[in-house]
């Protein structure tokens, strides 16, 4: 298991917390809550070690479009980058 | 006595909403009356397993156990839904404590004149091996709570699949007042792989799906009287059957109290010959549930 964390500047307040997904094979769980500052904070626990660079690219891409000041916690069980992006978008939509 | 569901016709197959394909949380939501769902100790409480990360395993924020409250057919209900996709639905210290505490709470409510219908959605391989003794202890607590609670209110269990219900939680299933299964569901104390590992492939071939379902599958379990109702994989049908089961009230004798009847049957089995499934069906088809 590997732990990763990323921070991004954020301009939009988040309306409500939301939870999506499951820590099952090829899937992940996302907990999204309003953060206390004008930043987005992401912490990740993933079952697959050594993919920090890929995670960074996925997060960079997501936060190039998402401006929410959210604290995001991810529990990952081997999801593909596409799956991670879908879950993040699902969580972002649920928090609006 | 209920009759098994007829198989769905092609039109029903196309329009049905699969229960099996839903997550534990979606299942609980789908069964409760619309708009009444609320969750106790949900993901944001972060009651996760402290033991999994120590062993390099990613935990889940609700430890794979959803405690839902709401109403079912207008009456107070609590649903304990196990998420089979997280660690095979295994019972750990936290998920087990959530089940046991919910059952105790329901017992307390029932004793104070506030009966709550308790429904278990069982999707589990049993004790979580990474939490060993704590999981076993949790199951002991759950089972003693089951016995205490079912004196007051019926406790209904659903095993829909695809994980099935095995290990210590199979004992919990057997303690239910009423048990409902789908054909896809499986119920057994030891899972096929455990039997093969312990007794050899001659005893049980865990890659033989037909054999597994012939022994552990819902249809077989219903035919042998271990299950009260066999239902197709459809949200609406399962909901109807659950409501119907609660409507029957507390049984005058629970299946697990019929020890003498079961011992009598066991005594008639000729253990010098390998028992065929069809013989077993004949022997156990007489339903004893009063």
């Amino acid at each position: 298991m590997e732990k990763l964390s990323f921070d991004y500047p954020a301009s939009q307040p988040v309306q409500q917390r939301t939870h999506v997904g499951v820590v099952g094979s090829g899937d992940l769980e996302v907990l999204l809550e309003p953060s206390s500052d004008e930043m987005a904070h992401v912490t990740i626990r993933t079952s697959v070690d050594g993919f920090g660079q890929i995670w960074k690219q996925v997060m960079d891409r997501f936060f190039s479009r998402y401006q929410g000041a959210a604290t995001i916690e991810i529990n990952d069980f081997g999801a593909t980058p596409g799956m991670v992006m879908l879950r993040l978008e699902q969580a972002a939509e649920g928090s609006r | 006595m209920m009759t098994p569901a007829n198989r769905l016709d092609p039109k029903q197959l196309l329009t049905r909403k699969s229960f099996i394909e839903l997550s534990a949380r979606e299942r609980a939501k789908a069964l409760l009356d619309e708009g009444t769902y609320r969750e106790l100790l949900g993901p944001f409480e972060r009651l996760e397993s402290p033991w999994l990360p120590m062993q390099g395993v990613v935990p889940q924020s609700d430890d794979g156990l959803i405690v839902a409250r709401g109403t079912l057919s207008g009456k107070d209900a609590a649903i304990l839904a196990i998420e089979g996709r997280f660690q095979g639905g295994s019972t750990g210290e936290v998920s087990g404590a959530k089940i046991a505490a919910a059952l105790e709470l329901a017992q307390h409510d029932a004793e104070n004149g506030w009966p709550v219908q308790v429904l278990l959605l069982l999707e589990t391989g049993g004790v979580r091996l990474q939490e060993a003794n704590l999981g076993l202890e949790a199951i002991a607590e759950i089972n003693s709570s089951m016995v205490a609670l079912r004196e007051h209110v019926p406790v209904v269990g659903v095993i829909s699949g695809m994980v099935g219900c095995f290990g210590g939680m199979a004992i919990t299933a057997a303690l239910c007042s009423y048990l409902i299964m789908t054909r896809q569901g499986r119920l057994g104390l030891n899972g096929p792989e455990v039997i093969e590992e312990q007794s050899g492939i001659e005893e049980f071939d865990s890659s033989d799906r037909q054999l597994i379902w012939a022994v552990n599958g819902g249809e077989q379990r219903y035919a042998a009287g271990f299950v009260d109702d066999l239902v197709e994989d459809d949200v609406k049908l399962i909901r109807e059957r659950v409501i119907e089961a609660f409507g029957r009230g507390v049984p005058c004798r629970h299946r697990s109290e019929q020890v003498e009847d079961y011992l009598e049957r066991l005594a008639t089995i000729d253990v010098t010959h390998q028992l065929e499934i069809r013989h077993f069906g004949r022997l156990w088809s007489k339903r004893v549930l009063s």
Side-chain angles (χ1 to χ4, degrees):
Chain A
M1 185 177 79
E2 192 171 317
K3 289 183 189 177
L4 303 160
S5 63
F6 301 101
D7 297 305
Y8 294 90
S11 53
Q12 308 257 315
V14 168
Q15 298 304 315
Q16 57 181 349
R17 66 186 193 182
T18 180
H19 170 266
V20 295
V22 53
V23 190
S25 183
D27 208 339
L28 71 160
E29 171 188 53
V30 178
L31 292 96
L32 190 153
E33 292 174 279
S35 70
S36 52
D37 53 7
E38 288 190 344
M39 293 286 283
H41 307 279
V42 185
T43 52
I44 298 162
R45 284 182 290 188
T46 173
S47 60
V48 193
D49 294 1
F51 284 83
Q53 193 54 41
I54 307 259
W55 277 103
K56 186 175 184 314
Q57 284 167 5
V58 171
M59 290 303 145
D60 285 353
R61 191 164 169 206
F62 176 70
F63 283 100
S64 70
R65 282 177 293 162
Y66 179 69
Q67 310 297 326
T71 299
I72 297 175
E73 200 179 305
I74 290 174
N75 294 318
D76 168 61
F77 216 66
T80 60
M83 188 67 182
V84 175
M85 197 59 100
L86 280 173
R87 286 292 186 206
L88 282 170
E89 280 167 9
Q90 192 187 2
E93 181 148 345
S95 69
R96 280 186 196 115
Chain B
M1 193 188 302
M2 293 179 214
T3 51
N6 293 319
R7 288 182 190 260
L8 298 175
D9 66 39
K11 196 179 161 226
Q12 287 171 312
L13 270 171
L14 290 170
T15 55
R16 72 159 165 191
K17 192 174 174 214
S18 170
F19 188 76
I20 293 173
E21 286 170 19
L22 300 179
S23 71
R25 191 166 277 109
E26 288 167 338
R27 288 177 180 187
K29 267 184 201 159
L31 292 181
L32 288 170
D33 296 339
E34 215 179 321
T36 67
Y37 176 95
R38 69 190 166 89
E39 198 171 327
L40 307 181
L41 301 178
F44 289 97
E45 307 292 335
R46 292 184 171 80
L47 275 181
E48 58 178 45
S49 162
W51 310 106
L52 292 180
M54 290 181 198
Q55 295 166 76
V57 180
V58 179
Q60 183 163 298
S61 58
D62 53 21
D63 206 31
L65 196 279
I66 283 88
V67 184
R69 281 297 306 262
T71 62
L72 185 59
S73 194
K75 292 181 195 147
D76 266 310
I79 300 185
L80 307 173
I82 301 172
E83 177 52 68
R85 285 182 294 170
F86 172 64
Q87 293 295 325
S90 57
T91 305
E93 184 188 16
V94 173
S95 62
K98 282 169 86 172
I99 300 175
L103 293 172
E104 278 169 36
L105 206 57
Q107 188 195 339
H108 181 261
D109 287 344
E111 283 169 356
N112 287 288
W114 182 17
V116 176
Q117 310 175 93
V118 178
L119 174 64
L120 306 176
L121 304 182
L122 300 162
E123 204 67 75
T124 170
V127 169
R128 186 177 298 159
L129 299 182
Q130 293 96 334
E131 303 185 22
N133 296 356
L134 296 168
L136 285 169
E137 193 210 28
I139 285 180
E141 274 181 42
I142 291 167
N143 289 344
S144 81
S145 298
M146 285 284 288
V147 173
L149 174 63
R150 69 181 191 181
E151 297 301 314
H152 303 281
V153 285
V155 182
V156 177
V158 175
I159 303 169
S160 60
M162 292 300 292
V163 174
C165 184
F166 292 98
M169 292 303 281
I171 302 172
T172 310
L175 290 172
C176 284
S177 310
Y178 305 103
L179 201 51
I180 300 167
M181 275 183 89
T182 66
R183 278 172 227 284
Q184 291 90 333
R186 292 175 295 167
L187 170 63
L189 197 56
N190 287 326
E193 274 153 38
V194 176
I195 301 172
E196 185 187 309
E197 197 181 298
Q198 296 297 317
S199 308
I201 198 161
E202 306 81 18
E203 177 72 19
F204 207 90
D205 179 355
S206 69
S207 67
D208 187 342
R209 292 170 70 86
Q210 208 171 353
L211 173 71
I212 293 168
W213 263 270
V215 173
N216 295 132
E219 206 160 358
Q220 158 65 15
R221 290 315 195 195
Y222 178 75
F226 291 120
V227 169
D228 305 281
D229 202 358
L230 186 66
V231 61
E232 291 295 329
D233 172 29
D234 178 80
V235 171
K236 194 167 159 275
L237 285 176
I238 290 176
R239 188 172 186 277
E240 280 170 14
R241 300 305 184 87
V242 166
I243 292 168
E244 204 176 307
F246 279 120
R248 296 166 76 189
V250 178
C252 45
R253 261 174 96 216
H254 278 87
R255 195 168 13 241
S256 61
E257 291 171 308
Q258 302 169 14
V259 180
E260 294 305 320
D261 299 324
Y262 280 105
L263 283 176
E264 229 170 79
R265 286 180 183 199
L266 281 173
T268 64
I269 295 176
D270 176 7
V271 289
T272 58
H273 295 90
Q274 177 69 45
L275 193 66
E276 296 281 327
I277 289 163
R278 57 198 161 91
H279 294 146
F280 180 78
R282 208 156 49 225
L283 191 64
W284 289 61
S285 63
K286 185 182 143 273
R287 292 167 61 82
V288 286
L289 201 71
S290 38

